[in-house]
Amino acid sequence: MAWGGSDPGCPLLRRLPDQTSGRRTTPAAGAPQFEGLMEIDRADGRTPNQLRPLSCSRGVLHRAHGSASWSQGNTQILAAAYGPKAGTKKNENPERASFEVIWKPKSGQIGKQEEEYEMILKRTIQSICVLTVNPNTTTSVIVQVVHDDGALLPCAINAACAALVDAGIPLKHLAVSICCSLVEPGIVMLDPTKLEEEKMKAFTYLVFPNSSHSVLNKGSAQSENNDETEQGLITSVTHGIMSVDDYLQCLERGRAATTKLSDFLRRNLQPQLPSNT
Amino acid sequence: MDQRLGNAWRMTVNERKFVETALSSGLRVDGRDLFDYRKLGIKFGSEDGSAEVHLGQTRVLAFVTSQLVQPYRDRPNEGMLSVFTEFSPMADPSFEPGRPGDSAIELGRVIDRGLRESRAIDMESLCILSGKLVWAIRIDLHIIDNGGNLIDAANIAALAGLLASRRPECSLGGENGQDVIIHPPEVREPLPLIVHHLPIAVTFAIFDDESTVVIDPTYLEEEVMGGRITATLNTNGEVCAIQKAGGMAIPQNVIMHCLRMAATKAGDMTSKIKEAVDAYNRERTLRKIKRHPLPGSVGIRANIEKKQKKSQPLSAGDDSSMIKETEGKVRSIGGNSHKDGSNNSIIGSSSSWDPYSKGVNTELLKLSLAFRESSNHLKPQEESQSGDDEHLSEAKADEVAKDMEEPSRTPNAARSGVQSNGERTLMDAVKPKHKREKKEITQM
């Protein structure tokens, strides 16, 4: 399958270095033939499948029952969870635990965008939590944007999940979230920064359950298990136009990347054992 | 809704009695002295104008942004300042989302009065076109964790944010000088705010036996206290604002004692804030120097440092601007060499400052290449010693261009040569004249 012609207008795409001279040349205008793959040139030197450096700290706040600060590159989000309080709102099902999400943007004007984020977060949290343990209660999750540099909603979902773990809210599994963007039809790039996001044709936020480590039946049985449990896509929010094939490719890439994220989360959320025991 | 009441934290009778009894014997629950502040930590975010303050367990985030607006009609020459406070529900179970409550409004007003009425910020420098366009500074304070004494912590956060904030430089242009051109941060370095003095708020909590006064109450002590008084002072001992809204009546001598105490505390706090901001500014200028990950990049870095040191003896007063000029030169040349084909990747896309357009730089490069071929190293270096700024930066550009050409052609020899240059940087800084001869020798 031949790639489309080189696009001199797209600033991210360029040819791979010519092996002989060791120099990189920008695509000449109207040069249709070339050897080798198109490689994507990202501003911070990452490959298309590389995520930004992650960091997560739990228990950062003293009054909140659970809190976490999550940062992916320069995007930083602080999430706090207050444990179950008695009572639910009028239109919520009293047989189940309900959740309330409050999204606080950096500069204080709460608009439709923030309400949409709250709704997406609430539905995502509802699907990962065990709702029948504490019926007729409300758990609040508060998300504060500290810095926005792309992939805001995935960062927030990861932070909220970590805050819930810190608060001890019963969960079925963790939620791992990632942003996949479409540079050109056929080329998928993970975890864009804000500048990259603005140049994308389309991007999608995806939330997957985290990969499970099963203690029984290693080997083929485990891969079957993984296929079953990891098929599920919890949340997907897309912006822009993409073809169905591209979307499925985004899903695959996203799922592959979530194994890395899951490992990171697992390591981070495991309680630290004292080293001298 | 009633669900909120279920979650509100209420102090138990035992806790209350414990705090009161301890205070009557001059002990505080966390072991501090009566007039000690908790540990203060100030951190700055990656964006200009964002600061986070930890005062013990209390955490406050501040974001300072600026926008161009029309001024008030009765003050056409002054900029505007507004303070917005958000008591985030994550700070305390009793904080509700939505409209700010009484204490949030009071906090915002106290901080606003301390800044505005005392003229801590120079408003007239924010004016661009009198009567038409001025800068409006907006301070957003988010209370993240309520460990007590929110006013002091929020005030420090606001001051740190103001000192760290930058606004883009504007110039007037157009036919009749009425068009405003806003220079993006890549073109011109954004400007800091002019702050005349720092008004520091010091809060005292008064307890029922009227003689116990403590500074910086925790949230436990705030529940127990009978009244509160906040005094905003600066290091000159000037009182900017005093806030005592209701609460217990305090005798005069206690108030005078508090004000004297606040004056000393304000001095301490100001020096701590200034230290933190200075460290941040230093780190910020260092961050602006782009490090190119080239194989010969060690040489280039050494050249950058050498140039900075060279700039110091030549123009002592203009240090930071010289450093920025060299940064601009190096970065633009880095950009050009990308086109020329040496393999480098410029990391990061945040501000780079280039006083000259790219066209001029490529011409300089060609000139420098022509100079190289004629093997006449001395001319640009002689020009550099003339002390003229423009020639100096051009010469530096030439030298940097030459040095960058060297690594791409003969990496090993150049690296060793340039590295030996790097080893001599300290001595070079002391003796600028001898450097020329040494450079000659190593570049041969």
Side-chain angles (χ1 to χ4, degrees), chain A residues 63 85, chain B residues 2-11 92-95:
Chain A
R63 299 300 297 277
K85 328 182 266 249
Chain B
D2 287 347
Q3 63 195 17
R4 286 282 172 198
L5 293 176
N7 205 34
W9 167 79
R10 252 177 258 126
M11 205 171 186
D92 196 296
S94 59
F95 290 171

Side-chain angles (χ1 to χ4, degrees), chain B residues 77-91:
Chain B
N77 283 330
E78 287 186 8
M80 301 210 273
L81 176 75
S82 49
V83 178
F84 291 87
T85 27
E86 291 270 333
F87 273 30
S88 175
M90 66 168 74

Side-chain angles (χ1 to χ4, degrees), chain A residues 12 16 34 49-50 80 84 87 98 139 142 161 171-173 184 188 192 208 212 215 224 239 260:
Chain A
L12 292 179
L16 272 182
F34 51 90
N49 283 338
Q50 201 178 351
S98 73
T139 306
I142 302 112
C161 180
L171 302 174
K172 286 184 243 176
H173 49 71
E184 289 284 313
V188 171
F208 295 96
S212 53
V215 286
E224 281 171 35
H239 296 251
K260 265 187 281 182

Side-chain angles (χ1 to χ4, degrees), chain B residues 28 56 223 319 335 355:
Chain B
R28 289 177 85 166
E223 286 289 312
D319 231 3

Side-chain angles (χ1 to χ4, degrees), chain A residues 23 43 60-63 78 80 82 85-89 100 102 104-107 138 142 144 146-147 195, chain B residues 3-4 7 46-47 57 59 63 86 89-93 97 138 140 142 144-146 219 340-341 346 348-349:
Chain A
R23 287 162 175 248
V60 288
L61 301 178
H62 297 98
R63 299 300 297 277
L78 186 59
Y82 276 93
K85 328 182 266 249
T88 49
K89 291 205 180 105
E100 160 184 57
I102 299 162
K104 288 275 179 191
K106 205 157 76 161
S107 57
T138 307
I142 302 112
Q144 168 76 48
V146 179
H147 194 247
L195 292 171
Chain B
Q3 63 195 17
R4 286 282 172 198
N7 205 34
S46 48
E47 211 177 282
Q57 285 189 354
R59 256 171 92 143
F63 297 108
E86 291 270 333
M90 66 168 74
D92 196 296
R138 182 191 161 116
D140 282 288
H142 297 270
I144 301 291
D145 207 359
N146 179 16
Y219 68 97
D340 285 345
I346 299 173
S349 55

Side-chain angles (χ1 to χ4, degrees), chain A:
Chain A
M1 169 183 137
W3 292 98
S6 70
D7 179 12
C10 179
L12 292 179
L13 298 180
R14 59 163 175 78
R15 298 173 50 178
L16 272 182
D18 197 358
Q19 302 304 48
T20 51
S21 67
R23 287 162 175 248
R24 285 186 183 160
T25 53
T26 52
Q33 296 170 339
F34 51 90
E35 316 91 46
L37 286 172
M38 292 287 274
E39 197 180 274
I40 298 180
D41 198 6
R42 296 175 86 162
D44 47 7
R46 285 187 284 153
T47 65
N49 283 338
Q50 201 178 351
L51 304 173
R52 284 178 286 182
L54 301 166
S55 85
C56 170
S57 26
R58 280 198 304 147
V60 288
L61 301 178
H62 297 98
R63 299 300 297 277
H65 295 154
S67 55
S69 159
W70 181 282
S71 61
Q72 279 176 219
N74 274 335
T75 305
Q76 198 184 348
I77 299 249
L78 186 59
Y82 276 93
K85 328 182 266 249
T88 49
K89 291 205 180 105
K90 269 191 193 163
N91 45 359
E92 302 273 353
N93 185 357
E95 309 253 338
R96 310 207 143 198
S98 73
F99 288 86
E100 160 184 57
V101 177
I102 299 162
W103 180 285
K104 288 275 179 191
K106 205 157 76 161
S107 57
Q109 311 110 329
I110 300 205
K112 298 296 177 199
Q113 169 88 299
E114 283 73 36
E115 286 182 28
E116 186 193 357
Y117 285 155
E118 285 179 8
M119 185 268 294
I120 296 170
L121 253 178
K122 177 178 161 172
R123 301 248 184 102
T124 307
I125 290 173
Q126 271 176 340
S127 63
I128 66 171
C129 293
V130 182
L131 296 175
T132 48
V133 175
N134 295 316
N136 203 20
T137 58
T138 307
T139 306
S140 322
V141 178
I142 302 112
V143 175
Q144 168 76 48
V145 176
V146 179
H147 194 247
D148 177 12
D149 190 26
L152 193 63
L153 191 58
C155 202
I157 293 174
N158 291 329
C161 180
L164 287 172
V165 171
D166 196 38
I169 309 289
L171 302 174
K172 286 184 243 176
H173 49 71
L174 300 174
V176 188
S177 171
I178 196 155
C179 176
C180 302
S181 57
L182 201 69
V183 183
E184 289 284 313
I187 306 176
V188 171
M189 207 164 78
L190 292 180
D191 204 13
T193 62
K194 193 160 195 165
L195 292 171
E196 290 172 348
E197 240 179 37
E198 283 161 10
K199 294 186 208 144
M200 291 298 127
K201 296 237 160 51
F203 57 92
T204 168
Y205 300 133
L206 298 167
V207 184
F208 295 96
N210 70 326
S211 48
S212 53
H213 284 198
S214 172
V215 286
L216 338 145
N217 296 345
K218 308 264 167 140
S220 58
Q222 190 186 27
S223 60
E224 281 171 35
N225 268 344
N226 281 345
D227 281 339
E228 285 169 21
T229 53
E230 285 186 37
Q231 283 305 322
L233 167 71
I234 301 178
T235 303
S236 155
V237 183
T238 62
H239 296 251
I241 302 178
M242 55 170 78
S243 70
V244 179
D245 290 329
D246 288 331
Y247 181 69
L248 293 174
Q249 195 186 7
C250 281
L251 283 186
E252 275 171 38
R253 290 281 186 91
R255 190 178 294 121
T258 54
T259 43
K260 265 187 281 182
L261 273 173
S262 308
D263 288 335
F264 170 77
L265 248 187
R266 187 182 298 274
R267 264 181 289 132
N268 215 289
L269 297 180
Q270 250 170 7
Q272 301 294 327
L273 295 172
S275 52
N276 53 356
T277 51

Side-chain angles (χ1 to χ4, degrees), chain B residues 89 282 299 301 335:
Chain B
R282 269 192 306 252
R301 246 179 267 151

